Amino acid sequence: MLESSGYSSEFFFYCLQPYLNAINQETSSVTVKHLSSRTINQIPLPLPPLPEQRAIVSKIEQLFSELDNGIANLNTAKQKLEVYRQAVLKKAFEGELTREWREQQTDLPSGEELLVQIQEERERYYEEQMAQWQEEVAKWEENGKVGKKPGKPRKLKDDFSLFNQEELYYIPKYWKFVLPQQLCSLQKYSIGIGPFGSNLKVSDYTDEGVPLVFVRNITRNSFDRNLKFISQEKFLDLIPHSVHPGDILVTKMGDPPGDVTIYPNGKPIGIITSDCLKFRPLEGFADNKFYKYYLESVFTKKQLGVITMGVAQKKISLTRFKTIFLPLLSYEEQRQIVQEIESRLSVCDKFLESIEASLKKAEALRQSILKKAFEGTLLTEAELEACRQEPDWEPAEALLARIQGKKV
């Protein structure tokens, strides 16, 4: 037992907490980390008298209990903010937030009309691509057919085979449900996932060059810190996985998957990694903020809850993502809805930032409590004096000598 060796088991448990990071750094093995006896023997541990150990544990637990209550209240508030956020998004994508605005409009195109316009845009784009391809083929033939023949452009084919009509909810009469590939940019590779692991390895990473986008960048909405890069040469091999400013990014993995953000304006073209998915909206018809909010809404979450695959960890495949239904409505109304959403969520987001800051402070306070405990400054002089009156109190030097004397 630990106490017979000079340590209270509870004290020993808390004592290890400040050293967990050091332990993690010292652990060996590539696939599975483990603690060696050498590692444990090198961890410096304080050894106060047993009564002081018990008093320190008691005070830690008292302070931690108060801290945990505060954290629980913060998390409850955080959950309530999420409920409010989802309520706003639900109203937005049912058309409720812009009902009055919509009724005042006289020239709004319907979803059907917008879809016809999009198809016309695609036809024009396809014809331009075909003309360009024919010129490239002619040049290729003039040069003696050296090298690979230019690839022929493909027409977009809408696949409604997995478009589950039962999942659709009520929308205003001017709106229409469509699939992601009907709303993506005319450019190639506007919907895609990151490369397979064999195509992008850790050994490809560099300290500068073309930035990589990882799941952590999406979940934290951060593209400025701890970045990894690849060379321009490697980038040319991975162009189908490139991400441009304004692209909507979605996490394929997670519990649940489906975190969403927008690759910020001003950032250089990058490459998404294997567990990320990108969606580039069709300019002039699809506002990226509108569809970013929609992908965060309960309607999309419900769909992702149905279509995520995998046993150990849920996953969104590209094929499945392409079956998500999206509302198509006028670009003007999309922008109006974004304004309505952001006017309601701005205060909510500020509260959330405050809660997140408080949670970080709570964790810092927890570490501060442990630090004081094992620096010997957590207990007051009166509390230390009470420890000295305990029948099993003995100076630390005597305790250490007794422990060493028991060693064989």
Side-chain angles (χ1 to χ4, degrees), residues 198-213:
S198 59
N199 293 330
L200 178 60
K201 302 176 183 178
V202 174
S203 57
D204 294 318
Y205 298 173
T206 60
D207 293 330
E208 58 183 16
V210 179
L212 294 172
V213 173

Side-chain angles (χ1 to χ4, degrees), residues 337-385:
I337 288 175
V338 168
Q339 290 179 26
E340 295 289 344
I341 289 173
E342 293 184 342
S343 68
R344 288 164 172 78
L345 294 186
S346 59
V347 175
C348 175
D349 289 341
K350 287 180 181 177
F351 274 123
L352 185 58
E353 288 178 8
S354 177
I355 288 172
E356 294 291 354
S358 296
L359 287 171
K360 288 181 180 179
K361 288 180 181 178
E363 181 56 33
L365 180 56
R366 189 186 301 274
Q367 297 304 317
S368 176
I369 290 170
L370 292 173
K371 185 173 183 290
K372 288 182 178 180
F374 305 115
E375 285 178 344
T377 59
L378 185 64
L379 299 179
T380 65
E381 187 57 41
E383 289 168 334
L384 288 171
E385 182 58 33

